[in-house]
Amino acid sequence: MRLFEATGIMSRRLSMAMLFVLSLVLALAPRTAVVEAVVVDGLQVGYYNLSCPEAEQVVRDVVDAEVAMNRSIAPGLIRIFFHDCFITGCDASILLDETPAGDVPEKESSANGFTLVGLRTIDVAKTTLEAMCPRTVSCSDILAFAARDAAVAAGLPSYEVGGGRRDGVHSRMDDLPGNFPVPGHTVPRLTELFASRGLSQEDLVTLSGAHSIGGAHCFMFSNRIYGFSKTSEVDPSLDPAFAERLRKLCPRPKPDDNPQESRKVPFDERTSEKLDNVYYQELLEKRSLLTSDNTLALDPKTRPIVERYAKDDALFQKKFGEAMQKVSALDVLLRPDQGQIRRDCHVVNKARGQHFPIIRWPRPPRHPMQQMLNWFIRGFQQD
């Protein structure tokens, strides 16, 4: 689609007029053939074939257009999807700006906040689909489809994603600490957290392969290149030449630094925009950014999986699609009494006459550098 590529001036912003035009173009496009849905673990592949036949294609077109303009959208969407599903299930709770209970939402956690990339892509898809099929396609399904399409845009073979999720009405920032993997975790803690969500150690290694694309802010791995221990300034498990390059790219963080100005470094220097097995090859060469990545190559239980993927790109890509399918079914809400189809992904639908308090959370600097370091290295707890 060249709809979003009309001028170089647009950058990453689309006007409401452009969204309206997109809605009209897609709404007037030829209808696809109707195919009966297949039930998979409570979800249905082809769930919208009757109610909104173009739903998945619309999401795919939006993702492809956005990724074409900004390659960081692909890893960003996969990350948003994983962060959403891992806490309370795939219910689009990470998209909420406010909740009926007045809780500080997940989005405001220092694990999310400004590090979430791709939120606007979901908004574009939702706005388009609401114009075509009002109150039909859930935000949680859009997010699941978008994560798949982002992976495909980055080179992964396509895989099926069932639909039928409903959107949650709760979102709590306080649900994250202690329940979510962070860059400072090692294999035992990561394995424990993944097992609590019904995911295996193989799933852990496989899903970590999402770090084949995208990157990490310097503060997320500064503990490995500055003041690592009492006996070593730099993590000795890092390739020395690689560590030296990182120190040149990333100055020592200061408590009063603005985290949002922290430089972002690619996870995989060789193929940073392709979802492939080079990530695992780099792990074996001791060139990883995060402790949580490096530990996969060091731990004897996970290293054999890393070695298999490093040798077989097709195997990794197959397993990654399967693991993403597993994640997409985590604690999904299927019944009307469990969730809703939000009209706006940022807010819960309100019944007539119902009013929620409008809460505007403070914007940057939202989390001081020391707090960001605390979260990303330890997850607000010592493990």
Side-chain angles (χ1 to χ4, degrees):
M1 280 183 63
R2 296 188 180 276
L3 185 58
F4 297 134
E5 300 172 0
T7 70
I9 301 173
M10 289 174 62
S11 184
R12 289 180 282 176
R13 297 193 177 188
L14 293 176
S15 66
M16 291 306 295
M18 185 62 76
L19 294 181
F20 180 68
V21 172
L22 174 64
S23 302
L24 290 179
V25 170
L26 293 173
L28 295 173
R31 296 271 171 175
T32 56
V34 174
V35 180
E36 290 299 319
V38 178
V39 177
V40 181
D41 294 331
L43 298 171
Q44 296 178 347
V45 175
Y47 180 82
Y48 295 104
N49 286 348
L50 294 174
S51 60
C52 192
E54 293 88 2
E56 292 192 50
Q57 186 62 51
V58 166
V59 176
R60 184 175 303 115
D61 287 345
V62 170
V63 170
D64 286 347
E66 294 269 300
V67 171
M69 292 189 293
N70 180 0
R71 300 297 297 182
S72 69
I73 296 294
L77 288 170
I78 295 172
R79 185 169 182 263
I80 293 170
F81 167 74
F82 181 77
H83 281 217
D84 180 56
C85 295
F86 203 89
I87 299 301
T88 57
C90 303
D91 60 357
S93 55
I94 197 170
L95 304 179
L96 287 173
D97 290 340
E98 58 184 69
T99 67
D103 296 314
V104 181
E106 296 170 31
K107 181 187 291 184
E108 300 301 319
S109 167
S110 54
N112 296 318
F114 76 89
T115 67
L116 296 181
V117 176
L119 293 171
R120 193 181 67 87
T121 306
I122 303 302
D123 292 341
V124 173
K126 179 62 173 176
T127 300
T128 305
L129 288 170
E130 281 297 305
M132 297 172 62
C133 314
R135 306 184 186 185
T136 302
V137 185
S138 69
C139 299
S140 47
D141 276 347
I142 290 173
L143 183 52
F145 297 150
R148 183 264 314 275
D149 298 332
V152 172
L156 199 80
S158 188
Y159 56 91
E160 291 184 328
V161 175
R165 299 167 191 79
R166 299 183 75 84
D167 302 323
V169 298
H170 305 288
S171 184
R172 282 169 34 88
M173 180 181 73
D174 291 342
D175 287 337
L176 275 73
N179 298 309
F180 193 77
V182 298
H185 283 157
T186 54
V187 166
R189 180 58 176 157
L190 291 169
T191 300
E192 181 182 7
L193 288 169
F194 272 66
S196 72
R197 306 303 287 131
L199 299 170
S200 67
Q201 201 165 63
E202 181 180 85
D203 294 327
L204 160 63
V205 179
T206 303
L207 291 166
S208 295
H211 289 173
S212 171
I213 55 178
H217 292 276
C218 289
F219 66 79
M220 297 180 182
F221 55 87
S222 62
N223 65 309
R224 300 189 68 201
I225 58 176
Y226 294 107
F228 178 74
S229 68
K230 293 181 179 179
T231 58
S232 178
E233 173 70 0
V234 175
D235 185 347
S237 67
L238 272 174
D239 171 65
F242 181 66
E244 185 60 29
R245 287 204 304 276
L246 293 180
R247 285 170 65 93
K248 290 180 180 179
L249 292 172
C250 302
R252 187 187 296 270
K254 301 175 183 177
D256 59 349
D257 285 348
N258 183 349
Q260 298 192 45
E261 296 176 359
S262 177
R263 184 169 188 164
K264 203 168 187 178
V265 179
F267 284 120
D268 168 11
E269 292 181 315
R270 293 163 55 191
T271 57
S272 61
E273 295 181 354
K274 185 177 180 183
L275 197 54
D276 59 16
N277 69 332
V278 171
Y279 160 79
Y280 297 99
Q281 297 170 12
E282 293 290 275
L283 292 187
L284 296 175
E285 294 297 326
K286 302 181 179 180
R287 291 193 291 263
S288 62
L289 298 182
L290 309 180
T291 297
S292 55
D293 289 330
N294 185 54
T295 187
L296 302 178
L298 297 180
D299 193 285
K301 292 183 178 179
T302 52
R303 186 179 177 90
I305 307 174
V306 172
E307 292 174 338
R308 285 202 302 273
Y309 289 159
K311 295 176 181 177
D312 193 336
D313 188 41
L315 174 64
F316 158 66
Q317 293 196 330
K318 175 178 179 293
K319 291 290 188 179
F320 188 83
E322 293 173 353
M324 288 286 280
Q325 287 175 317
K326 289 178 68 174
V327 172
S328 74
L330 291 179
D331 293 337
V332 293
L333 309 175
L334 300 173
R335 301 193 312 269
D337 64 326
Q338 294 179 315
Q340 58 182 217
I341 308 298
R342 286 186 217 142
R343 294 186 288 274
D344 179 341
C345 291
H346 293 271
V347 294
V348 172
N349 297 342
K350 302 174 185 177
R352 182 172 297 178
Q354 186 178 20
H355 298 281
F356 300 153
I358 297 178
I359 302 173
R360 295 288 182 260
W361 305 111
R363 292 304 174 187
R366 183 179 301 143
H367 302 289
M369 178 60 77
Q370 193 57 49
Q371 186 180 14
M372 298 297 283
L373 290 169
N374 192 26
W375 168 268
F376 280 97
I377 305 307
R378 294 182 291 276
F380 293 129
Q381 64 175 28
Q382 298 282 355
D383 289 325

